[in-house]
């Protein structure tokens, strides 16, 4: 155990990129040599062979005494922060919000780029302007936690909504360029804009606005409309007392001049008052012995008062409002969750939820009623009234019983379709068919029954409509990862359905792409049919990601839906750029689209150039760029990015994206500290797990909490190293979770080390370099061990990535120097009815739940771990209590740990103060436990000497020798340094 401490206290150093040092004399008093190149390997050897080491000085002159470089910077990094360590420690314990270094803060505070929205006629573009991060004061506003939602009672909407600060309109000119910007105006300064939608004819916009009030609350939302040609905006309702209820649906264009609005009922009374003294205890009962297994949903209703409060905020009055100012209330107030006009604008499909509510499940499982009305509010019929669904099985692919996914057919004036399960919604029940798809007119004739459209043996996954001759039906099954696409002819019963694609959803290499959709005049989307000149075939466009072993190369195929042949008519650049097809821009004309008149919106980006959008026209495929967004973080514009491939010890191929800071030169700067940031995934096959996903040419998008921010701090970032947890056949992936997790991490770390990117010390792995083998064998004999313990690689992740981080520190402490775990779950017995993609319970898979839980291995975690969690985390499974209890378990075993709880934050962090503090905490942790510096090295050397002088050896009386390795040039051992703890110190 004490020898193990010696291993972990060795700190490797790097020379500054100056001229080679003079060869030192090897004396008995010198206990540690520092190499010109790092990283290094620890090697154990029998003491009787140690005499061979004395020949190193003449053969390897690049050995430098530690004291000759004690004052040098390490890896090109400054150590100015060391002197202020005590001040930082005081700040860290002060409990106040802190700011990260300017190089990180400036990136986070950079103004965000606008969002884009194209008009239905594709002739205008909205630039929806956004602000940077919100202040914490906005998150601190009171909110009600009801039925799985969080409601801002002051403005009667979901809490924590983001918003736009302005709307700019650009005309798309005939030559493909953008005209000058015209601002939407007329609303008060400081308005917060949400729910921006185009009218069907593209002549008007509708949106909501709200304001900040003096008491730091937000006003209720009002609906505004704007004339697109003039930019003039005005309130939709003449009365100032009509407010939008945005708890569920908001408003929808019924036709070109009329909106259907969910309004707060004018008859709504005062807010229900909570009784000071309850009328009785809170009781839940299962005396009927029902089997009800649900995941750990949060923010549920707790009592009758919560039920009343939910009704108060969620109840809406539907109002028809015309642009000419006329209004009409339709229907009675109810908890409306959606309203969808039929394509012919004659009917409304109205959904609502009603009592009895539940204290066990969120509102999405409450009793649900679906009705058809006319657009002027007359009741036509009830489609269904589904009961409370507390008992949906936890098995993945289980669904609610009864009618589900009720929608209008996009290609018909007013025809409904839906799916009904035949297995009672239970994925564990074997039955054929498993789902049936039905259709029916909005107003069926008396006695007319729903028509069966198609039967499926897997779980229904949706339909892409085209016309009576063509529709694509999707089905899938999670347990086998099987996915199938059917071709059906909805209007021809004599045409048999046929399978178009039958494949594994995990096999991204075989993905044929998805059909491109076109917008209809009614505002719906259908499959775009393409015509070729002098060709009567039926063609569609398949837009695919183009996954290959070299990364994604997106494509557009012209696909003959009948013959099955395809022609690639567009493909992304492979060498430098990553391009995608975003949407059709020639779909505003009715009828089939001519291939020679095709117009597409495409995006283009590279490793260092952010995304820009262009219009591409056929047949010449002329490209005209329509945006010129500035680089969001020019200080990192020249970052280095590489997609790397390596192999796990069981033969599974793995990939990761390696980022290096701008200007990094390994020959001059030496190894860097590295941040390993990932998120595990489950697979059914090794081949699928080993497939490459993503593109090496994609732009490095850096969010406000991204690990890539530490490129600005001269870190190497290993982003998204694949960590496949595989369960082939009938095997469950999680039964070998820890084993596969550690193997994946080991493979990634070894690859980073092999490339000479990061600092490390090794532990008991075989050296691959033949030259190094020969050298060590000549010195020490055939029996030796290579040590591969990275000393300056940190591991981190969010949510399931935090769970991964804690497990790696518990089960693979030889790989990482510290960890950052954000908003994770660490004790799986607290999520007993499934988590992530695990649908067994701890009573069915006790060993798996225990072994996977890092809480159960808290006594094994010896490396520093930083835990961060939002105090109001509402994600299923990641209660804030998870971090609280894990921290106490770690502290109870003397682990070096720190817990940061962020007030008012949820699962993802939103407020500027919170995010900047998280970055400060993370940077402090990395600088303290990951970034090497020479003064630390001297202290650790002294500590190592002290330990060794006490006679610390392993059971074989071995001594410790550490060598500095040069990554890819391992074979050139002349350039390697060598650390040793000579026998004279024992």
């Amino acid at each position: 155990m004490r020898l193990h401490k010696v291993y972990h206290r060795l700190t490797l150093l790097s020379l500054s990129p100056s001229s080679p040092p003079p060869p030192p004399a090897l004396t008995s008093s010198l206990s540690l040599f520092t190499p010109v190149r790092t990283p290094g390997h620890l090697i154990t050897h029998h003491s009787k062979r140690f005499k061979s080491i004395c020949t190193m000085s003449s053969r390897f002159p690049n050995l430098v005494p530690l004291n000759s470089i004690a004052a040098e910077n390490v890896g090109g990094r400054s150590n100015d922060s060391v002197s202020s360590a005590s001040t930082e420690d005081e700040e860290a314990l002060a409990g106040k919000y802190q700011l990260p270094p300017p190089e990180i803060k400036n990136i986070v505070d950079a103004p965000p780029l606008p969002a884009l929205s194209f008009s239905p006629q594709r002739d205008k573009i909205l630039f929806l302007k956004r602000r940077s991060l919100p202040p914490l004061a906005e998150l601190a506003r009171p909110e009600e936690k009801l039925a799985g939602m969080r409601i801002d009672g002051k403005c009667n909407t979901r809490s924590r909504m983001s918003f736009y600060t302005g709307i700019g309109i650009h005309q798309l000119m005939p030559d493909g360029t953008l005209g000058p910007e015209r601002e939407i105006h007329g609303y008060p300064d400081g308005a917060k804009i949400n729910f921006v939608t185009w009218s069907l004819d593209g002549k008007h916009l509708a949106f909501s606005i709200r304001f900040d009030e003096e008491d730091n609350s937000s006003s209720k939302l009002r609906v505004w409309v704007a004339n697109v040609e003039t930019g003039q905006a005005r309130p939709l309702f003449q009365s100032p007392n009509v407010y939008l209820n945005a708890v569920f649906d908001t408003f929808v264009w019924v036709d070109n001049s009329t909106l259907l609005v969910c309004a707060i009922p004018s008859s709504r009374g005062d807010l229900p008052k909570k009784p000071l003294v309850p009328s009785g205890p809170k009781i839940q009962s299962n005396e009927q012995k029902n089997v009800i297994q649900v995941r750990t949903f949060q923010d549920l209703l707790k009592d009758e008062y919560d039920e009343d409060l939910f009704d108060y905020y969620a109840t809406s009055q539907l109002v028809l409002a015309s642009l000419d100012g006329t209004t009409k209330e339709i229907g009675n107030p109810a908890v409306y969750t959606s309203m969808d006009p039929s394509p012919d604008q004659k009917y409304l499909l109205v959904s609502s939820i009603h009592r009895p509510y539940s204290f066990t499940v969120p509102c999405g499982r409450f009793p649900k009623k679906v009705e058809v009305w006319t657009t002027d509010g007359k009741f036509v019929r009830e489609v269904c009234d589904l009961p409370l669904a507390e008992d949906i099985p936890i098995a993945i692919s289980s669904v609610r019983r009864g009618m589900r996914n009720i929608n209008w057919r996009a290609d018909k004036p007013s025809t409904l379709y839906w799916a009904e399960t035949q297995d009672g919604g239970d994925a564990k029940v074997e039955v054929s068919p498993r789902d049936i798809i039905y259709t029916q007119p909005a107003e069926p004739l008396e006695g007319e029954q729903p028509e069966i459209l198609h039967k499926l043996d897997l779980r229904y996954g949706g339909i892409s409509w085209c016309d009576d001759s063509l529709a694509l039906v999707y089905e899938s099954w999670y347990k086998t990862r099987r996915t199938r696409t059917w071709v059906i002819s909805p209007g021809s019963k004599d045409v048999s359905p046929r399978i178009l694609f039958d494949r594994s959803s995990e096999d991204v290499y075989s993905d044929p792409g998805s059909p491109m959709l076109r917008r209809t005049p009614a505002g719906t989307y259908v499959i775009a049919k393409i015509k070729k000149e002098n060709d009567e075939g039926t063609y569609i466009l398949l837009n695919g990601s183009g996954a290959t072993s070299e990364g994604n190369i997106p494509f557009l195929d012209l696909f003959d839906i009948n013959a099955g042949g395809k022609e690639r008519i567009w493909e992304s650049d492979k060498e430098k750029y990553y391009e995608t097809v975003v949407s059709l821009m020639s779909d505003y004309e009715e009828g089939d689209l001519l291939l020679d008149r095709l117009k597409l919106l495409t995006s283009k980006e590279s490793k260092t150039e952010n995304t820009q959008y262009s219009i591409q026209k056929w047949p010449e495929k002329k490209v005209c760029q329509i945006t010129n967004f500035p680089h969001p973080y020019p200080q990192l514009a020249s970052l280095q990015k590489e997609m790397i491939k390596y192999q796990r010890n069981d033969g599974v191929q793995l990939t990761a994206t390696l980022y290096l800071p701008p200007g990094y030169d390994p020959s001059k700067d030496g190894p860097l500290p590295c941040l390993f940031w990932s998120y595990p995934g489950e697979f059914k096959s090794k081949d699928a797990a080993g497939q490459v996903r993503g593109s090496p040419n994609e732009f490095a998008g850096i969010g406000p909490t991204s690990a890539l921010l530490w490129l600005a701090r001269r870190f190497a970032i290993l982003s998204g190293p694949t960590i496949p947890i595989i369960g082939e056949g009938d095997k469950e992936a999680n039964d070998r979770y820890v084993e596969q997790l550690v193997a994946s991490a080991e493979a990634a770390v070894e690859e980073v080390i092999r490339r000479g990117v990061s600092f490390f010390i090794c532990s008991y792995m075989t050296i691959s370099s033949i030259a190094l083998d020969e050298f060590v064998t000549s010195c020490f004999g055939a029996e030796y061990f290579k040590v591969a313990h990275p000393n300056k690689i940190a591991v981190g992740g969010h949510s399931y990535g935090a769970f991964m981080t804690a497990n790696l520190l518990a089960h693979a402490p030889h790989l990482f120097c510290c960890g950052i775990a954000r908003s994770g779950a660490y004790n799986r017995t607290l999520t007993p009815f499934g988590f992530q993609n695990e649908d067994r319970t701890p009573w069915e898979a006790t060993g798996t739940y225990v072994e996977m839980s890092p809480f159960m291995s808290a006594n094994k975690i010896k490396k520093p771990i930083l835990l961060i969690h939002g105090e109001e985390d509402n994600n299923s499974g990641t209660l804030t209590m998870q971090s609280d209890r894990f921290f106490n378990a770690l502290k109870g075993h003397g682990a070096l740990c720190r817990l940061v709880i962020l007030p008012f934050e949820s699962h993802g962090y939103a407020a500027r103060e919170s995010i900047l503090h998280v970055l400060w905490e993370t940077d402090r942790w990395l600088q303290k436990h990951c970034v090497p510096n020479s003064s630390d090295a001297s202290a650790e050397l002294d500590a190592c000497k002290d330990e060794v002088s006490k006679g610390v050896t392993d059971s074989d009386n071995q001594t410790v020798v550490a060598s500095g390795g040069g990554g890819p040039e391992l074979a050139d051992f002349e350039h390697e340094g060598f650390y040793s703890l000579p026998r004279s110190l024992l």
Side-chain angles (χ1 to χ4, degrees):
M1 175 60 72
R2 295 180 67 190
L3 182 60
H4 179 73
K5 292 180 181 178
V6 175
Y7 292 169
H8 289 266
R9 293 174 69 175
L10 284 171
T11 299
L12 303 184
L13 302 175
S14 167
L15 285 179
S16 62
S18 56
S19 57
L26 185 63
T27 66
S28 60
S29 62
L30 180 60
S31 63
L32 187 64
F33 289 98
T34 298
V36 172
R37 303 173 64 85
T38 56
H41 323 281
L42 276 181
I43 304 173
T44 62
H45 66 89
H46 292 288
S47 59
K48 65 181 179 182
R49 298 194 182 105
F50 182 74
K51 59 183 179 182
S52 302
I53 199 67
C54 296
T55 63
M56 286 192 302
S57 180
S58 59
R59 293 179 57 191
F60 301 96
N62 293 327
L63 297 177
V64 187
L66 175 68
N67 54 14
S68 70
I69 62 144
E72 296 286 352
N73 290 339
V74 179
R77 300 181 60 84
S78 169
N79 294 312
D80 294 341
S81 61
V82 175
S83 61
S84 60
S86 59
T87 302
E88 289 185 358
D89 288 340
E90 291 174 3
E91 292 176 345
L93 296 173
K96 297 181 179 179
Y97 287 102
Q98 304 291 340
L99 298 177
E103 54 264 46
I104 289 179
K105 176 179 173 294
N106 293 341
I107 296 174
V108 174
D109 281 339
L113 298 176
L116 303 184
S117 174
F118 287 83
S119 67
Q121 289 69 36
R122 306 297 194 246
D123 60 344
K124 297 179 181 65
I125 307 176
L126 297 184
F127 278 54
L128 303 172
K129 300 169 186 181
R130 300 179 288 182
R131 65 165 182 182
S132 296
L133 300 172
L136 186 62
E138 288 191 10
L139 271 66
R141 291 171 178 164
E143 60 183 2
E144 302 292 346
K145 301 173 182 178
L146 301 169
M149 299 186 299
R150 293 184 175 180
I151 298 173
D152 184 333
K154 199 70 186 290
C155 58
N156 218 105
T157 184
R158 300 287 180 98
S159 61
R160 309 174 183 225
M161 282 200 316
S162 59
F163 57 86
Y164 301 115
T165 58
I167 305 174
I169 304 177
H170 290 268
Q171 186 77 29
L172 187 59
M173 309 304 288
D175 62 357
T177 60
L178 292 184
E181 182 175 86
R182 181 170 57 255
E183 286 275 356
I184 297 294
H185 58 277
Y187 52 79
D189 292 339
K192 298 178 178 181
I193 302 170
N194 289 99
F195 312 118
V196 181
T197 58
W198 293 89
S199 63
L200 301 179
D201 59 7
K203 294 182 179 179
H204 291 88
L205 297 175
F207 52 91
S208 71
I209 65 169
R210 57 194 160 108
F211 311 95
D212 282 337
E213 298 184 335
E214 292 182 359
D215 61 352
N216 194 40
S217 64
S218 182
S219 66
K220 291 182 173 63
L221 282 70
R222 298 189 65 195
V223 182
W224 283 57
V225 291
N227 184 297
V228 171
E229 290 301 321
T230 65
Q232 180 66 47
R234 62 177 175 83
L236 174 65
F237 295 98
Q238 295 178 357
S239 169
N241 298 319
V242 180
Y243 298 105
L244 182 68
N245 187 337
V247 170
F248 287 107
D249 210 345
T250 53
F251 52 81
V252 62
W253 288 94
V254 175
D255 55 40
N256 291 328
S257 61
T258 307
L259 287 125
L260 179 61
V261 180
C262 282
I264 296 175
S266 58
S267 60
R268 186 171 79 172
D270 295 333
L271 188 71
K273 293 184 178 180
K274 187 170 185 177
L276 294 177
V277 178
S279 59
K282 298 178 182 179
I283 299 173
Q284 297 187 55
S285 173
N286 190 35
E287 296 180 42
Q288 297 80 18
K289 298 183 179 180
N290 295 322
V291 176
I292 297 177
Q293 300 180 347
V294 295
R295 297 214 172 187
T296 48
F297 299 118
Q298 300 190 52
D299 299 340
L300 301 177
L301 299 178
K302 299 179 290 297
D303 51 31
E304 291 182 3
Y305 170 73
D306 275 0
E307 291 181 310
D308 293 341
L309 206 57
F310 175 75
D311 277 338
Y312 178 83
Y313 287 120
T315 298
S316 296
Q317 172 65 61
L318 299 186
V319 180
L320 284 170
S322 297
L323 296 181
D324 62 9
T326 59
T327 63
K328 177 185 177 182
E329 293 185 353
I330 61 173
N332 296 318
V335 183
Y336 296 109
T337 57
S338 68
M339 61 270 191
D340 298 304
S342 61
D344 63 2
Q345 304 172 3
K346 292 182 178 180
Y347 300 96
L348 297 171
L349 186 64
V350 180
S351 299
S352 61
I353 56 178
H354 60 83
R355 298 193 184 213
Y357 296 148
S358 170
F359 300 155
T360 305
V361 294
C363 59
R365 297 191 182 186
F366 288 178
K368 178 181 180 180
K369 183 182 293 185
V370 181
E371 299 173 333
V372 175
W373 301 356
T374 62
T375 48
D376 60 358
K378 295 179 180 178
F379 175 82
V380 175
R381 69 183 177 103
E382 181 182 284
V383 178
C384 67
D385 191 353
L386 303 176
L388 179 65
E390 288 184 327
D391 58 348
I392 298 176
I394 62 173
I396 298 175
S397 298
S398 294
V399 294
R400 188 174 194 159
R401 289 191 293 270
M403 300 171 68
R404 69 182 198 279
N405 300 109
I406 307 169
N407 291 292
W408 297 111
R409 271 186 61 169
D411 62 327
K412 287 290 184 180
S414 52
T415 299
L416 294 171
Y417 72 98
W418 66 89
E420 289 189 38
T421 178
Q422 306 301 299
D423 56 11
D426 190 347
K428 292 183 178 181
V429 174
E430 295 295 335
V431 65
S432 178
R434 191 173 289 278
D435 273 338
I436 297 179
I437 306 169
Y438 295 92
T439 66
Q440 192 176 41
E443 288 193 76
L445 300 175
E446 185 175 353
E448 182 180 0
Q449 297 299 310
E451 178 182 337
I452 294 178
L453 179 69
H454 192 49
K455 297 180 179 180
L456 300 169
D457 284 337
L458 308 181
R459 188 64 77 203
Y460 167 70
I463 301 179
S464 293
W465 298 97
C466 183
D467 52 32
D468 272 341
S469 67
L470 174 63
L472 299 182
V473 180
Y474 309 101
E475 63 173 338
S476 63
W477 196 247
Y478 176 77
K479 280 295 184 182
T480 60
R481 307 302 198 272
R482 189 178 187 185
T483 179
R484 292 194 296 203
T485 302
W486 291 82
V487 178
I488 64 171
S489 297
S492 303
K493 295 182 179 180
D494 56 337
V495 178
S496 299
R498 60 185 174 88
I499 293 177
L500 184 64
F501 305 120
D502 189 349
R503 46 183 290 273
S504 168
S505 60
E506 291 182 339
D507 182 10
V508 294
Y509 291 172
S510 70
D511 188 352
S514 301
M516 293 208 70
L517 306 180
R518 59 169 299 168
R519 194 178 192 276
T520 68
T524 62
Y525 284 85
V526 298
I527 297 174
K529 275 189 175 180
I530 306 297
K531 276 191 175 181
K532 294 176 69 175
E533 189 174 355
N534 301 320
D535 191 328
E536 296 301 320
T538 302
Y539 295 94
I540 64 174
L541 295 172
L542 293 180
N543 186 10
S545 59
T548 73
S549 58
E550 301 304 316
N552 288 0
I553 305 173
F555 64 83
L556 190 65
D557 281 349
L558 185 67
F559 183 71
D560 188 328
I561 197 71
N562 295 319
K566 57 186 176 182
E567 173 190 353
R568 187 142 299 178
I569 62 172
W570 178 91
E571 188 174 68
S572 171
D573 176 83
K574 304 176 184 178
E575 303 303 322
K576 180 180 178 182
Y577 291 101
Y578 176 75
E579 301 168 289
T580 65
V581 173
V582 179
S583 68
L584 283 169
M585 295 292 286
S586 52
D587 61 347
Y588 49 85
E589 297 179 357
E590 293 193 54
D592 294 347
L593 304 180
L594 296 176
L595 180 61
D596 286 345
R597 296 180 61 185
L598 197 63
K599 188 192 300 184
L600 303 173
L601 177 69
T602 60
S603 67
K604 184 177 183 179
E605 61 197 83
S606 73
K607 298 176 184 178
T608 57
E609 300 171 51
N610 55 308
T611 305
Q612 305 292 353
Y613 295 93
S614 299
I615 301 294
Q616 190 166 155
K617 299 179 181 180
W618 264 250
E620 66 276 6
K621 298 184 181 180
K622 180 182 177 182
V623 177
C624 181
Q625 184 172 316
I626 61 173
T627 62
N628 189 26
F629 296 128
H631 198 292
Y633 20 88
Q635 57 271 57
L636 293 179
S638 60
L639 61 81
Q640 303 172 49
K641 176 185 177 182
E642 180 184 1
M643 181 177 284
I644 63 175
K645 302 176 186 179
Y646 47 98
Q647 192 176 82
R648 203 163 73 179
N649 58 13
D650 59 358
V652 176
Q653 297 294 319
L654 304 177
T655 58
T657 303
L658 179 62
Y659 292 90
L660 299 173
Y664 171 69
D665 184 342
S667 64
K668 295 180 180 179
D669 301 331
L672 298 171
C674 179
L675 179 54
F676 173 114
W677 199 270
S678 192
Y679 193 99
E682 293 84 10
F683 291 87
K684 289 302 292 182
S685 76
K686 290 183 177 181
D687 289 342
Q691 292 182 350
V692 176
R693 291 162 173 83
S695 169
N697 295 326
E698 286 181 272
F699 181 69
I702 303 179
T705 58
S706 170
L708 299 186
L709 289 166
W710 274 270
L711 289 168
R713 296 286 280 163
R714 308 297 293 174
F715 269 71
I717 309 296
L718 193 65
S719 178
T722 50
I723 301 183
I725 310 300
I726 305 167
E728 294 188 300
D730 294 332
K731 296 179 180 178
E732 294 287 347
N734 284 339
D735 288 346
R736 294 178 55 232
Y737 173 85
V738 171
E739 172 192 344
Q740 296 187 68
L741 175 71
V742 172
S744 298
E746 283 180 338
V749 168
E750 285 181 31
E751 179 63 18
V752 170
I753 291 167
R754 186 190 69 79
R755 291 169 173 265
V757 171
S758 186
F759 289 87
F760 75 110
I761 306 176
C762 290
S763 174
Y764 303 112
M765 289 183 233
T766 304
I767 297 178
S768 58
S769 169
I770 296 176
L772 185 56
D773 279 345
E774 292 175 348
F775 169 76
V776 178
T777 300
S778 68
C779 290
F780 310 123
E783 297 175 86
Y784 69 92
F785 300 92
K786 177 185 173 185
V787 187
H789 186 115
N791 200 37
K792 296 300 170 187
I793 301 179
V795 60
H798 187 94
S799 194
Y800 206 50
F803 176 72
M804 168 206 75
T805 297
N807 264 308
L808 285 173
L809 293 186
H811 302 290
H814 58 288
L815 293 178
F816 303 103
C817 63
C818 65
I820 300 103
R822 301 192 318 216
S823 297
Y826 309 103
N827 183 351
R828 283 305 169 193
T829 65
L830 296 178
T831 54
F833 293 112
F835 59 89
Q836 206 70 5
N837 291 317
E838 177 61 67
D839 56 8
R840 296 171 296 172
T841 70
W843 299 277
E844 298 170 304
T846 306
T848 298
Y849 268 72
V850 171
E851 184 182 9
M852 286 185 71
S853 298
F855 179 87
M856 304 299 183
S857 300
N859 60 316
K860 299 179 181 179
I861 296 180
K862 306 301 181 184
K863 294 300 182 65
I865 181 169
L866 172 64
L867 304 174
I868 302 174
H869 217 120
E871 192 171 28
E872 303 295 334
D873 192 332
N874 62 343
N875 184 55
S876 175
T878 55
L879 294 78
T880 308
M881 173 182 64
Q882 289 271 7
S883 287
D884 284 329
R885 293 188 176 181
F886 188 41
F887 175 72
N888 287 330
L890 293 167
K891 190 169 61 171
H893 290 89
L896 198 169
C897 53
R898 180 176 173 87
L899 173 62
V900 179
I901 300 295
L902 303 170
F904 306 112
E905 292 291 351
S906 184
H907 190 59
Y909 317 139
R912 180 177 182 272
E913 293 92 331
S914 302
I915 288 174
L916 293 179
H917 187 83
V918 166
L919 300 178
W920 178 82
E921 291 278 1
T922 305
D923 189 71
R924 172 185 174 272
W925 203 253
L926 293 175
Q927 300 295 326
K928 192 178 184 69
H929 301 293
C930 189
V931 176
N933 63 71
S934 52
S935 59
D936 286 348
S938 298
E940 296 219 359
L941 170 61
D942 291 339
C944 289
K945 287 182 180 179
D946 290 342
E947 296 245 12
V948 174
S949 66
K950 298 173 183 176
V952 181
T953 61
D954 64 7
S955 59
D956 292 323
N957 192 30
Q958 296 174 343
T959 255
V960 181
V961 178
S963 77
E969 297 87 9
L970 273 173
D972 186 8
F973 205 71
E974 249 185 32
H975 292 86
E976 309 305 317
F978 213 86
Y979 295 127
S980 67
L981 294 178
R983 184 68 179 171
S984 61
L985 286 179
L986 300 180

